Structure formats: C-alpha cells, structure tokens
Amino acid sequence: MTDLAVAPTDYSHVPAGLRAVRDRIDAACGAAGRAAHAVTLVAVSKTHPVEAVIAALAVGQTVFGENRVQEAATKFPALRAAHPAMRLHIIGGLQTNKARDAVRIADMIDVLDRPKLADAIADAIQREGRSPDLLVQVNVGDEAQKAGIPTADADAFIAACQARFDGRLAGLMCIPPADGDPAPHFAWLAACAARHGLGVLSMGMSGDYEIAIAHGATHVRIGTAIFGRRD
Ligand SMILES: *Cc1c(COP(=O)(O)O)cnc(C)c1O
C-alpha cells in the first residue's frame, strides 16, 4: 500500500479531530434532547490511506464509510481480521457490476437508489449468502447530477424495497443540495422514514451534521472534520 517514493502522511491530528467531532455530536444531541449514543459517527476515510484508518481505530473509532468498493476492498478486509468490531458503510454511488463486491464487504450499503441496483443487490445477497443492512438514498433536492431516487418516486421505491429485503432495509440516506439550508431536506427525509416505519437516518456531513442531528439523524458521515482535506 505505502508508496515509499512519497513522504508518509502524518495522521497524528486524527485523535483530536475525532474528539472534537464526538464532543460536537454530544452537544448537538444534548441540545436536541437526544441521547448521545443515539447517533453513530461514520468516519469517512475515502481517499485517505490505511494509516488514517489505523489512527482512528487506535482511539476507538470502529465505523467507517468509503465511497468506492474497490478502494474499501484494499483497506478493510485485513484490518477487520484484527478488529472484529469494525463496521464498513458503502456511501458512494454504486454501479450494478460492483454490487456483489459491496455485499461481500459492507455492513451497510447506504446508496440503494434504483430498481436495477435493487436487482443486483438481491442477486448478490443470494450468491454471497451475506446480507448487509440497506438504506435507500433519496435525491432530496431532485438535482439532475445527484444520485438518489427522486422524491416523487421515493415512497413507492421504499415500499418495494421493504417488501423485497424485509428487515434488511433499515432506513434512508440523503445528501442535500450544497447551496441553501439543509434543514428542510433533513426534515423531509425524517418524515419519509417515519411514514415507512424506518429507524435509520444517515444524514449530515462535516458542514451540517449538527443540523442533521437536530432533525433526527441516527448516522452522521464525517470525513474532512476528522481526517482533514482530501486531495
Ligand atoms: C465524502 C462524503 C461524506 C463526508 O464528507 P465531508 O464533508 O468530508 O465530511 C459524507 N457522505 C458522502 C456520501 C460522501 O461522499
């Protein structure tokens, strides 16, 4: 993994970054009248080397998020052997031809957003004999360039996925538009999850996780505030 031609990157800031984020999560939970353990911190280690993950593991972080299945497959299986409590979320757009690899290595796939991907995941679950938890990603801003099921189709798609995957459909995920107030989008997703009796709400990133917690996020996905800027 390590390219010796490149100076080793220093990840000594990770413990302090994690502590600061955990403190802010606790404070946001307190302000919202929620228990701090109601929110799971997903440390988004995409683009960072395995050393970054090791630095986080060393201070008790066990839940990680990666965008690319291929990248996750190079970092996680070896670490998981030594850290059985480790959990991996796949949080980035998933091609159907990567569904089987995702089902093999993920504990949660946050990005189920179209019928063809549901087919591929169902097929992969059969073949692998392994069932990660699943979240339906909703394109809450109905943005042309973004992944996620359009809001108009969300209720029908969620109901179909619940019927198909039974208890494995755990909840919903969203990435609100970069501009503007994310709060109405978080509120929309929370109401949608409640309509369907779904308990997991994966919403909130480095820039908006306190707002997401105020709106009921159970999982916040945070990269930059922990690991620093990505190249
Ligand atoms: C990269 C990414 C994150 C983390 O974003 P930060 O702003 O670095 O905290 C969260 N969710 C998804 C889906 C991402 O792709």
Side-chain angles (χ1 to χ4, degrees), residues 63-139:
V63 186
F64 294 87
E66 287 278 338
N67 270 36
R68 294 169 179 276
V69 179
Q70 224 61 29
E71 183 181 342
T74 67
K75 291 188 212 168
F76 284 85
L79 289 174
R80 298 182 69 146
H83 301 275
M86 204 168 185
R87 294 290 175 265
L88 174 65
H89 288 231
I90 294 296
I91 62 170
L94 185 59
Q95 295 170 278
T96 52
N97 65 2
K98 296 284 180 349
R100 193 161 174 191
D101 292 333
V103 163
R104 189 180 299 135
I105 65 171
D107 298 287
M108 194 179 280
I109 297 175
D110 291 27
V111 291
L112 171 53
D113 68 349
R114 57 196 192 279
K116 279 250 177 326
L117 184 58
D119 293 344
I121 289 173
D123 186 56
I125 287 171
Q126 281 265 307
R127 289 165 182 271
E128 292 293 325
R130 185 173 191 278
S131 287
D133 286 321
L134 303 171
L135 304 182
V136 165
Q137 180 178 0
V138 182
N139 186 356

Side-chain angles (χ1 to χ4, degrees), residues 137-202:
Q137 180 178 0
V138 182
N139 186 356
V140 286
D142 289 315
E143 297 172 278
Q145 78 284 10
K146 263 213 187 122
I149 189 89
T151 53
D153 303 333
D155 283 313
F157 183 62
I158 292 163
C161 289
Q162 275 184 307
R164 182 167 200 176
F165 296 106
D166 201 24
R168 304 317 294 200
L169 186 73
L172 306 180
M173 179 271 215
C174 76
I175 308 171
D179 302 326
D181 183 2
H185 297 292
F186 293 148
W188 188 96
L189 199 74
C192 185
R195 268 201 303 284
H196 292 275
L198 293 167
V200 173
L201 277 173
S202 174

Side-chain angles (χ1 to χ4, degrees), residues 39-54:
V39 176
T40 299
L41 170 57
V42 181
V44 178
S45 50
K46 66 183 182 196
T47 79
H48 294 289
V50 71
E51 287 77 8
V53 178
I54 291 168

